[in-house]
Amino acid sequence: MSSLLVTGGAGFIGCNFVRHVLDHTDHTVTVLDALTYAGNEASLAGLPANRFRLVVGSVCDPSTVDELVADHDITVHFAAESHNDNSLNDPSPFIQTNLVGTFELLQAVRKHDKRYHHISTDEVYGDLELDDPAKFTENTPYNPSSPYSSTKAGSDLLVRAWVRSFGVRATISNCSNNYGPYQHVEKFIPRQITNVIDGIRPKLYGAGLNVRDWIHVDDHNAAVLRIIDDGKLGETYLIGADGEENNKSVIELILELMGQPSDAYDHVNDRPGHDLRYAIDATRLRTELGWEPRFPDFRSGLADTIDWYRANEAWWRPMKAATEAKYAKTGQ
Ligand code: NAD
Ligand code: DAU
């Protein structure tokens, strides 16, 4: 049994990770979360008080971070500003949380000699051409495109430097696009599902040929646990489940699964600098750590996700109007 400090545990992937850990291990969990617009205490409702607690605070606050890191065996760092479109409108919080926040955590795990796992993204590698058979591997050079992905790339490099220069006991994982319950309605899939529920036509950026490599959030989190348990210190693991789909086909599938005509969507302004395609080669994770996705069927995972948003309107309704008002300003 270990004690885990999970930063960003009130966000989409973090809250699913906390639930996964409490269900599948005997670890205890403390979440450190600033409860920004993206964090939601309701995502952590009903968890057992003898194994779980929430501390509201920022990863940029050195004294909070120092005290909590010292008190736990392992720190798992999910907290981030995570949305590309927001980073194009205002990069400032991305610099603070993603770079300065990671720096504070690294200083604390170094001081207290604690195990650290860093959650990152495939976007650090930039993008691939649509007709390129290649996928990202652990050896692909970093080439991020947006303020979001460049701060995540910078945070990964900080981790690598703290490993090499100070011997910090860390691992890094870079995952592709997650979907599943508790994802903020600013993100592509929940935005379209909740639009259809509200009678609003889904919004496709540009021509919609951009490809994302979808993975169910539980498969991501199971992989993170495998890396924490058996990953080689100082190493990077890519996480992906061979789920490449273009955005147009995802919108058409959502419409079909929700009983709407498959062309009942609008093309809206494209994202500036929009990455074309992401694709992960997860051979290392599969062969060295024996991980396999348990939810590789995107169609049925998407159907379950639609059911979750239909059944949990009270969770997403409070954030919907403000999110759409933000998109309206950029014609998206
Ligand atoms: P999210 O935006 O849903 O959640 C982020 C959480 O971090 C929120 O609870 C927020 O309140 C918290 N937070 C933000 N700033 C903070 C601060 N200064 N101090 C403490 N907490 C703070 O994000 P997500 O989609 O769950 O992503 C989690 C992590 O996974 C991020 O590091 C992201 O880069 C990475 N990632 C995401 C995806 C994806 O598809 N969503 C894929 C690969 C990697
Ligand atoms: O690849 C991993 C990354 O996946 C994570 O690091 C990020 O935190 C996460 O947000 C996600 O980034 P994307 O930019 O790929 O996700 P997003 O949900 O914003 O958009 C997915 C695709 O859908 C992208 O090509 C843009 C497009 N899109 C998005 C929205 C919100 C639309 O066509 N319409 C929309 O309304």
Side-chain angles (χ1 to χ4, degrees):
M1 186 197 100
S2 299
S3 57
L4 265 55
L5 174 64
V6 177
T7 72
F12 162 48
I13 306 176
C15 79
N16 281 289
F17 179 75
V18 171
R19 289 174 187 281
H20 190 90
V21 166
L22 294 174
D23 284 350
H24 292 91
T25 74
D26 56 2
H27 302 325
T28 61
V29 174
T30 300
V31 164
L32 170 62
D33 198 295
L35 298 183
T36 68
Y37 81 95
N40 193 340
E41 215 173 331
S43 305
L44 297 166
L47 299 179
N50 60 339
R51 292 179 61 208
F52 166 78
R53 82 183 162 116
L54 168 66
V55 175
V56 179
S58 174
V59 292
C60 301
D61 173 6
S63 59
T64 303
V65 164
D66 185 79
E67 194 180 313
L68 286 171
V69 165
D71 271 359
H72 293 81
D73 300 318
I74 304 169
T75 296
V76 191
H77 180 33
F78 288 89
E81 286 291 336
S82 70
H83 194 40
N84 276 298
D85 293 323
N86 293 343
S87 81
L88 295 164
N89 294 331
D90 179 11
S92 172
F94 290 75
I95 304 291
Q96 287 308 314
T97 291
N98 300 0
L99 288 169
V100 177
T102 300
F103 162 73
E104 297 298 353
L105 285 160
L106 287 169
Q107 288 292 74
V109 294
R110 175 188 173 199
K111 178 173 160 192
H112 300 290
D113 188 22
K114 297 288 184 174
R115 175 82 168 84
Y116 173 84
H117 182 73
H118 186 71
I119 302 292
S120 193
T121 169
D122 59 358
E123 296 194 15
V124 300
Y125 300 113
D127 60 354
L128 299 158
E129 294 298 327
L130 293 180
D131 58 358
D132 186 346
K135 296 184 174 199
F136 299 137
T137 73
E138 286 80 4
N139 298 318
T140 304
Y142 275 34
N143 187 26
S145 313
S146 73
Y148 162 67
S149 54
S150 60
T151 57
K152 290 298 293 186
S155 72
D156 293 9
L157 298 181
L158 291 175
V159 180
R160 291 182 184 196
W162 262 242
V163 167
R164 175 149 177 177
S165 302
F166 306 125
V168 159
R169 294 182 290 127
T171 40
I172 300 176
S173 55
N174 296 77
C175 189
S176 61
N177 284 63
N178 287 219
Y179 74 97
Y182 299 104
Q183 188 169 28
H184 195 283
V185 297
E186 71 188 353
K187 301 298 196 305
F188 179 54
I189 287 178
R191 183 181 186 206
Q192 315 313 333
I193 295 171
T194 53
N195 274 355
V196 175
I197 292 172
D198 279 354
I200 303 169
R201 286 163 69 91
K203 311 292 180 203
L204 188 62
Y205 290 179
L209 300 181
N210 310 62
V211 171
R212 296 294 181 264
D213 188 354
W214 294 101
I215 182 172
H216 193 279
V217 65
D218 288 342
D219 282 332
H220 179 183
N221 285 330
V224 170
L225 262 189
R226 287 291 304 120
I227 297 165
I228 289 170
D229 285 344
D230 290 322
K232 224 167 125 192
L233 294 181
E235 297 291 324
T236 290
Y237 296 84
L238 262 55
I239 306 174
D242 298 323
E244 283 186 70
E245 300 281 346
N246 77 30
N247 295 338
K248 182 170 174 290
S249 67
V250 174
I251 280 202
E252 288 168 352
L253 183 55
I254 290 171
L255 284 163
E256 182 205 321
L257 291 169
M258 297 185 77
Q260 302 292 316
S262 64
D263 61 353
Y265 63 87
D266 292 331
H267 291 273
V268 295
N269 289 340
D270 207 350
R271 174 183 286 171
H274 197 172
D275 278 342
L276 278 179
R277 170 173 161 254
Y278 307 139
I280 290 273
D281 176 348
T283 303
R284 177 175 205 189
L285 181 68
R286 289 174 188 258
T287 55
E288 290 183 22
L289 298 183
W291 171 89
E292 290 294 333
R294 291 184 52 234
F295 308 99
D297 181 347
F298 182 62
R299 185 187 176 91
S300 77
L302 192 56
D304 288 347
T305 304
I306 291 169
D307 288 347
W308 188 89
Y309 280 90
R310 280 193 166 126
N312 290 279
E313 183 167 340
W315 181 86
W316 59 263
R317 176 61 64 197
M319 53 187 99
K320 182 66 180 168
T323 302
E324 288 306 314
K326 204 153 62 174
Y327 279 125
K329 287 188 192 151
T330 52
Q332 290 175 314

